[in-house]
Amino acid sequence: MKILFMYIWLFPILFMIHDFEEIFMVNAWQQKNKHYIESRKDKYIPYNFKASTAAFSIGVDIEFALISIVTIISYLLNSYVIWFGLFIAFVVHLFLHIIMCINFKGYVPGVITGTIVIPVSCFMIYRIYILLNFNMIIFLFSILIGTLFMLGMIYVLHKATKKFNYWLERYNTSYR
């Protein structure tokens, strides 16, 4: 079980490696592609929000905290159904960065680390599936729960980014 311990703790690490690229590049990418983004009004635009790097980072921090909490609880309870589904949803999200890159016809923040992390993550999914010995029903249930958790988390945090930005601007302009 030592190998499973290593795999489960790689998830928060891989998540942060990937999200650091997004944190570092989102605002610069938005600025660089401003005119191209504006010309694509009727098409999907990745990272289509106006927020500071700090506001975006708050969302990433909350995601990291939730992933870490799920990892800790899964380890303590020795129950990995939700954790495994969440990890699979994360890996699917990495593939979506490649698709966004192709659709956008250029670099999209997260695609470099996503491409690097995908092979390791796919190997981990294979090994963890063998170690956990889930039957197909538990495996599919795991994917469903993990995907719903990830989608809900991303949806709420993307909406909250505007609020985080407002709070930071308000803090920045408040007087003592």
Side-chain angles (χ1 to χ4, degrees), residues 35 63 68 86 109 112-113 117 119 129 136 151 153 163 168:
H35 298 295
E63 275 185 284
S68 297
L86 191 58
I112 294 171
T113 53
V117 168
Y129 180 75
M136 191 53 67
L151 289 173
M153 183 171 54
K163 194 71 162 170
L168 289 167

Side-chain angles (χ1 to χ4, degrees), residues 4-103:
L4 181 60
F5 179 81
M6 181 190 71
Y7 286 146
I8 66 166
W9 282 105
L10 274 173
F11 178 19
I13 294 167
L14 294 173
F15 169 81
M16 280 313 304
I17 289 169
H18 168 68
D19 271 48
F20 280 139
E21 180 187 358
E22 290 181 316
I23 290 168
F24 299 150
M25 294 304 296
V26 165
N27 288 130
W29 178 85
Q30 288 172 330
Q31 191 61 37
K32 179 179 180 180
N33 293 289
K34 185 178 181 179
H35 298 295
Y36 184 61
I37 290 169
E38 289 170 356
S39 72
R40 295 174 52 98
K41 291 215 185 285
D42 57 337
K43 296 183 180 177
Y44 171 75
I45 301 164
Y47 304 104
N48 191 19
F49 56 84
K50 301 216 183 308
S52 66
T53 299
F56 184 71
S57 297
I58 292 170
V60 171
D61 183 45
I62 293 168
E63 275 185 284
F64 176 73
L66 291 172
I67 288 169
S68 297
I69 290 166
V70 168
T71 301
I72 291 166
I73 291 171
S74 296
Y75 177 72
L76 292 175
L77 298 178
N78 197 33
S79 175
Y80 300 97
V81 173
I82 294 171
W83 180 92
F84 193 50
L86 191 58
F87 183 65
I88 290 172
F90 167 71
V91 176
V92 169
H93 151 260
L94 298 176
F95 280 102
L96 293 178
H97 278 280
I98 295 171
I99 293 168
M100 286 189 290
C101 186
I102 292 166
N103 287 340

Side-chain angles (χ1 to χ4, degrees), residues 112-126:
I112 294 171
T113 53
T115 304
I116 293 167
V117 168
I118 284 172
V120 173
S121 299
C122 288
F123 176 76
M124 285 174 55
I125 289 170
Y126 167 74

Side-chain angles (χ1 to χ4, degrees), residues 103-143:
N103 287 340
F104 195 73
K105 297 181 175 107
Y107 171 78
V108 173
V111 74
I112 294 171
T113 53
T115 304
I116 293 167
V117 168
I118 284 172
V120 173
S121 299
C122 288
F123 176 76
M124 285 174 55
I125 289 170
Y126 167 74
R127 293 292 298 146
I128 293 166
Y129 180 75
I130 290 170
L131 287 169
L132 295 178
N133 198 26
F134 285 157
N135 66 40
M136 191 53 67
I137 292 170
I138 298 294
F139 178 66
L140 294 174
F141 178 73
S142 176
I143 293 171

